[in-house]
Amino acid sequence: MTNALFADIILPLAVRGRFTYRIPDNIAEKVSPGTMVTVQFGGRKLYSGIVCSVHEKAPDVKKIRPVISVAEGTPLINASQLKLWLWISEYYLCSEGEVMKAAIPSEISLNNYKPRLETFINLSRKYSEGELNEILDKLKKAPRQQDILSAYIRLTGYTAETDILPISKSLLLSESHCSAGILETLTDKGILTSASQPVSRIPDTDSYKEPIKRLSEAQSVAFGSIKTQFLEKDIVLLHGVTSSGKTEIYIHLIEEQLKKGKQVLYMLPEIALTTQIILRLKRHFGGITGVYHSRFSDPEKVEIWKRIAEKDPLNSYRLILGVRSSLFLPFSNLGLIIVDEEHDGSYKQHDPAPRYHARDSAIMLAAMHNAKTILGSASPSIESYNNAVNGKYGLTELKERFGLIKLPTIILANTREAYRKKLMVSHFTPELLQSMDEALSKEEQIILFQNRRGFSPYIECSECGWIPVCIQCAVNLTYHKGIGKLVCHYCGYSTGMPSNCGNCHSTGMVTRGFGTEKIEDEIKIVFPAARVARMDQDTTRNKNSFNKIIRAFEERRIDILIGTQMISKGLDFENLTVVGILNADNLLNYPDFRAHERSFQLMEQVSGRAGRRQKQGKVVIQTSDPVNKIIRLVLRHDYIGMFRMQSGERIAFNYPPFSRMVKISIKHKDRTQLNFYSDILGRDLKEIFGKRVLGPESPVISQVQLWYIKTILIKIEREKPPAKAKQLIIEAIERLEKEKGASALKIAIDVDPY
Ligand code: ADP
Ligand code: ZN
Ligand code: ZN
């Protein structure tokens, strides 16, 4: 008799730790690390879990439950994936189960994943051309049927010499403009046949492969420098000005890896960016290129997942373009990870746990595969540039644009002065309008950037100053004119536009401030002949809406594109010469220690869209504070100046990267109770960490969805390993959780908040 076997299993729960189950003999052969199993947990609930180890050590409990069933096939999760899950859970202080929930598409757990079926129509047998003409002739009296048959012949290019080819039923019907009923008559007659076939959910645009572009002199030097540094370092930061040709350098690095049979992960912060880059990649690397992001449906995600795990090199994806969650795909043989726009805040997941930073986790993932990481940016994060300066990362700099085009000229437009002199037209300064006029007259394109969606960020009673706020959050409601509603951008609550003040009942409700929707409205009035479009969260709810807008702009069917940060990064448009930043002030005034860094990056980034080809572009920044030090740095494209200034401030105030930060958010539905408990935790932590604890304090948004919020920040010394401090933090939270009544609290830990 063999010894009983046990499995330690990760369950998709917020509870830390793994759970041990007994493996019944009849399924023992199928259970190994990485397999998905079904087990019972708690009352009667069944869960799909992932086995991380199999052993003979019986746990010290009376009753141990059995594994109920095993998913068919090879292990779903490979060893390096499990390693990454564990690292994320330990570093970011969450459960492996929370990582699991973020990592795998929920439908992957279904044993029978069903392929998508599509109906195909075929000729029922091979007719000679003579016979076919005869049939066509006979169908003269049924012209609609004739249409279908002719369409079949035309679409498949049928001749008696070729093989008969099936064609998709929906395509045949749309091309022949006939109904399914008429087609049915032909299949009933036995002339055509109909059959279902499984098809890929991912459209295969395996296009003609172009050879990769030859690098310019400056690019070749950068490429060589990256490779030399890779001999000694695992991570290289590529700091190249906008349009210096970083993407082309990545493409050369990718090609080398693919030739070695390695996989490559190319990460981008924003789904909108995948649209253009995927085409650039597929043009060179064809069908082995896959893309992965949250807009895909679950079955599509499962298919991409399987294509990456696929061993057959002809059917597998070896180059993946994806957003942060692509880290969790089943890579087995990574050679290189590219983190483009590495400074971007979207790489950090805020809610729910795991609150991981995809750039930092990518570096860990690469290490697990013995792969290299390249971080790319025109304005690197202070963290990464600091790592490069002190030698932890390699550094390669590209200071010129491809084709030696100059960086755009930046014009500051003083809104305060323009308002005073009554020169503003709506929200536009004379400088901006003049630049736009010039561009439009030359049929060049324009981007206007405003980091707020909706029509106006709030409305106000002109009599008493009353402002409608969300019923669940401490947030002003944003007016959306298109749907005629006030909307909360934090919880989604919406309500009709009030005609009277809720306080004094006057009818003088007025809109304040401006979002992208209002800009769109007013630009259409100022430039009635221009073709105007808008790209923000509200206009890109459908899966393909990004593609449509970006394509239309590329094909010059749009003259002026208005958008939020979605349009600020990475996009490459040939004919775009003027960029307007409508309100730099609200970027700069955000209460966060990264606000200045971020506004520099954003302005530099959005400016970088202008004048990328033949001629130098122009950027107009509207601000009421033109002497602001960050704006002066943007004016000179002075990244190093910004880096020096910001690192000076952060050293002085002990902020990252010169300390590590952990943020604890505590929530309660009752404000007094929240104050009580957060004070307990604050005192406890101060006894351990002293002055390095900030708070508890109310964040800018102090209530969301009826939960009041307080935050505590802890700065941990950089020099010491963080594990010890994190353990002390966890213990303090556990002590709080044992207090009477503390179960009504929600506590979240955010390591390296961003
Ligand atoms: P970045 O990623 O630094 O913003 P890109 O790689 O997008 O820059 O390059 C900017 C533009 O210059 C793109 O349109 C790109 O196709 C073109 N380009 C860059 N390098 C080359 C090259 N070696 N040969 C031809 N075109 C290039
Ligand atoms: Zn709300
Ligand atoms: Zn009022």
Side-chain angles (χ1 to χ4, degrees), residues 470 472-473 488 491 493:
C470 178
Q472 311 194 79
C473 314
C488 172
C491 72
Y493 164 81

Side-chain angles (χ1 to χ4, degrees), residues 139 355 473 546:
L139 291 179
R355 298 180 178 82
C473 314
F546 295 118

Side-chain angles (χ1 to χ4, degrees), residues 4-182:
L5 284 178
F6 301 93
D8 289 348
I9 293 169
I10 300 170
L11 294 178
L13 305 167
V15 190
R16 294 224 239 156
R18 296 169 175 180
F19 304 88
T20 307
Y21 285 80
R22 183 168 57 77
I23 308 175
D25 289 346
N26 60 332
I27 56 172
E29 267 189 5
K30 293 187 197 157
V31 179
S32 61
T35 41
M36 181 170 257
V37 292
T38 307
V39 295
Q40 196 176 334
F41 182 86
R44 300 189 155 195
K45 249 186 130 168
L46 294 183
Y47 286 94
S48 293
I50 299 289
V51 174
C52 25
S53 65
V54 174
H55 56 85
E56 294 180 359
K57 220 176 120 229
D60 192 16
V61 287
K62 271 210 192 88
K63 198 167 158 261
I64 173 150
R65 288 172 165 170
V67 170
I68 295 172
S69 65
V70 192
E72 292 299 323
T74 48
L76 190 66
I77 306 298
N78 65 38
S80 59
Q81 285 175 287
L82 283 176
K83 246 167 127 179
L84 181 69
W85 293 12
L86 181 63
W87 181 82
I88 289 183
S89 81
E90 286 177 345
Y91 187 87
Y92 293 104
L93 304 178
C94 61
S95 75
E96 284 179 281
E98 286 168 315
V99 185
M100 172 185 170
K101 279 201 268 186
I104 55 183
S106 49
E107 278 188 33
I108 204 152
S109 49
L110 300 178
N111 283 349
N112 49 346
Y113 165 58
K114 291 190 187 76
R116 196 170 80 118
L117 293 178
E118 197 175 320
T119 309
F120 283 84
I121 302 298
N122 209 341
L123 211 53
S124 63
R125 64 176 183 87
K126 222 172 139 115
Y127 295 100
S128 73
E129 270 180 74
E131 286 166 325
L132 202 57
N133 285 337
E134 226 169 80
I135 296 173
L136 275 172
D137 218 38
K138 277 195 193 137
L139 291 179
K140 248 191 196 142
K141 281 179 226 118
R144 305 300 287 149
Q145 293 175 38
Q146 202 183 24
D147 286 348
I148 290 190
L149 197 55
S150 313
Y152 172 86
I153 294 166
R154 177 163 47 83
L155 290 168
T156 60
Y158 178 83
T159 69
E161 276 82 53
T162 59
D163 278 334
I164 53 172
L165 286 173
I167 183 150
S168 127
K169 177 177 168 183
S170 54
L171 180 67
L172 185 61
L173 292 179
S174 70
E175 285 288 317
S176 61
H177 306 288
C178 289
S179 71
I182 300 166

Side-chain angles (χ1 to χ4, degrees), residues 691-712:
K691 284 201 184 118
R692 281 171 289 160
V693 178
L694 305 179
E697 54 192 37
S698 294
V700 182
I701 310 291
S702 61
Q703 188 194 23
V704 171
Q705 287 187 304
L706 299 177
W707 292 83
Y708 292 96
I709 309 166
K710 285 252 168 160
T711 55
I712 298 177

Side-chain angles (χ1 to χ4, degrees), residues 412 415 449-450 514 581-590 599 603 621-625 628 631:
L412 294 184
T415 47
F449 169 79
Q450 168 63 357
F514 56 94
I581 297 176
L582 294 172
N583 183 353
D585 304 350
N586 62 24
L587 301 174
L588 290 160
N589 297 335
Y590 197 79
S599 18
M603 286 190 260
I621 301 181
Q622 299 195 149
T623 173
S624 65
D625 182 18
N628 179 293
I631 290 190

Side-chain angles (χ1 to χ4, degrees), residues 213-216 219 240-250 252 277 280 340-341 398 402 570 572 609 612-613:
K213 295 189 168 77
R214 273 195 52 187
L215 296 179
S216 71
Q219 283 172 317
V241 296
T242 52
S243 204
S244 54
K246 296 184 287 298
T247 312
E248 295 303 330
I249 294 178
Y250 303 149
H252 280 251
I277 305 282
R280 278 173 83 173
D340 197 19
E341 315 284 2
L398 256 178
F402 178 76
D572 184 37
R609 302 313 104 213
R612 291 168 70 88
R613 302 292 165 82

